[in-house]
Amino acid sequence: METLHATAVALDGRAVLLTETGAYRILHVEVQGPGRGTVTPILENLPGFPDNISRDAEGRFWIALFAPRKAIVDRLARYPALRKVIVRIPAA
């Protein structure tokens, strides 16, 4: 499972949106009603790492992408342990 970072509650309170940073996507999770517990990807293959999400007063969601995608990170997607090591290596 990828790292889930931020959540935002839908205007009607029946669902939340989650950022799934390492998978470059946004998930919709039903929290009330007959679909409770249903998880559906609603935005996939984003051009960057989603790190924050918020909702405005009119119900629109705003997503922050903190960095563009990098080819090396995409290639390492099948190796989560190696990705964790590489992320911790200082840039210098």
Side-chain angles (χ1 to χ4, degrees):
M1 183 170 162
E2 298 292 333
T3 304
L4 301 175
H5 280 278
T7 62
V9 180
L11 199 55
D12 64 4
R14 298 179 56 99
V16 296
L17 295 187
L18 303 171
T19 62
E20 195 172 16
T21 303
Y24 311 108
R25 66 182 183 172
I26 306 298
L27 303 174
H28 178 270
V29 181
E30 292 287 331
V31 293
Q32 292 182 9
R36 184 176 179 190
T38 303
V39 178
T40 308
I42 58 168
L43 286 174
E44 295 184 287
N45 202 24
L46 291 168
F49 295 95
D51 186 48
N52 198 5
I53 188 168
S54 60
R55 178 184 48 84
D56 68 17
E58 286 143 18
R60 289 181 297 239
F61 291 94
W62 295 86
I63 301 163
L65 302 178
F66 75 88
R69 290 176 77 153
K70 294 184 179 178
I72 185 70
V73 176
D74 287 345
R75 285 193 297 273
L76 292 173
R78 291 177 281 173
Y79 310 102
L82 187 55
R83 275 177 71 171
K84 288 178 185 178
V85 170
I86 289 174
V87 167
R88 289 177 174 80
I89 296 173

